[in-house]
Amino acid sequence: MTSTTELTLQISDDIDQVSALLLLPPDSWLLYVFAHGAGAGMRHRFLESASTALAQRGIATLRYQFPYMEAGRRRPDPPPVAQATVRSAAEKAAELAPGLPLVAGGKSFGGRMTSAAAAAAPLPGVKGLVFLGFPLHPPGQPGTSRADHLDRVDVPLLFLQGTRDEFARVDLITDVCEGLEPNATLHLLDDGDHSFGVPKRSGRTPADVLTELTDAIEQWSRALTARPVRA
């Protein structure tokens, strides 16, 4: 079993170091720079499970903390700090795995901060962005202004969204992705909420949901990097 390596990231002279976790299987063909959501850090069970499942498919992951989470604060960092952290993580990933194609993104807040950073300036070596529950709007406040920056991102985008996600009404996230075509791909997980939980009536287990998500990431990433699909 591939072990996880604990690392630190130096974001800038003005921002403290943060922790990171590298999972790099020996058969890696891709590295996903994987940011956490607003309410839970890089060791959250979902990120752990997703990283392990991706490693079994030859996809390495670099998970990392945002400074507020590292310091134990509840309030997320302001966008300039969060985006600087994303950029530092992408640069570190390229250093740790030279020659591996990179994708970046993450869960909810982490994915949105990644796309905001990429909209400001391309992330070095990053060929595409993968969002696990893009937070298009606050619950009960439907809108699309949080997606306004996405047309300034110059790499392909994969959106993995639950159809019951209260942070992204299905019709709105569909319209956003259609407006970004051919740059955007939307994969809807039936009955999934913002955390990709599904009701018991669906007949699916958390393992089934994780398989669907990692299947989608692998297939999209293989197409992105022109790597043959596994037999």
Side-chain angles (χ1 to χ4, degrees):
M1 182 67 182
T2 304
S3 60
T4 301
T5 302
E6 300 199 12
L7 306 164
T8 57
L9 296 179
Q10 181 64 54
I11 301 168
S12 71
D13 292 340
D14 301 324
I15 305 173
D16 291 339
Q17 289 184 335
V18 296
S19 303
L21 297 169
L22 176 68
L23 186 56
L24 184 66
D27 60 346
S28 296
W29 55 272
L30 184 78
L31 196 159
Y32 180 24
V33 186
F34 193 4
H36 63 75
M42 67 180 181
R43 297 183 187 273
H44 186 268
R45 183 173 63 253
F46 175 79
L47 270 70
E48 292 272 6
S49 298
S51 296
T52 298
L54 290 168
Q56 293 168 354
R57 298 164 181 268
I59 300 175
T61 52
L62 179 65
R63 286 175 281 153
Y64 59 95
Q65 300 277 72
F66 286 106
Y68 78 96
M69 188 63 67
E70 186 83 352
R73 299 189 298 268
R74 291 188 177 184
R75 186 179 181 85
D77 300 307
V81 172
Q83 291 171 36
T85 306
V86 169
R87 191 166 300 280
S88 176
E91 291 169 351
K92 188 68 172 179
E95 174 189 323
L96 292 167
L100 274 189
L102 303 180
V103 295
K107 185 72 183 77
S108 194
F109 168 82
R112 184 163 70 95
M113 291 299 101
T114 300
S115 60
L123 297 172
V126 171
K127 295 182 176 296
L129 303 186
V130 177
F131 306 110
L132 289 157
F134 187 88
L136 187 59
H137 55 74
Q141 302 176 45
T144 62
S145 62
R146 286 183 176 179
D148 287 349
H149 67 282
L150 292 174
D151 62 1
R152 300 194 302 275
V153 178
D154 65 356
V155 295
L157 312 170
L158 173 63
F159 293 81
L160 301 165
Q161 303 286 152
T163 60
R164 293 189 301 115
D165 189 343
E166 60 184 359
F167 287 81
R169 213 172 69 187
V170 172
D171 61 323
L172 296 181
I173 194 68
T174 299
D175 286 348
V176 165
C177 290
E178 288 177 351
L180 293 168
E181 288 179 347
N183 216 34
T185 300
L186 174 62
H187 180 96
L188 292 173
L189 188 126
D190 193 35
D191 275 337
D193 61 18
H194 190 57
S195 298
F196 298 106
V198 295
K200 288 185 178 180
R201 60 176 167 75
S202 73
R204 287 178 292 168
T205 66
D208 294 331
V209 169
L210 187 59
T211 295
E212 180 175 342
L213 294 173
T214 50
D215 275 349
I217 293 171
E218 180 183 11
Q219 290 168 13
W220 179 85
S221 298
R222 285 184 180 274
L224 177 71
T225 59
R227 188 175 181 88
V229 177
R230 292 184 301 169

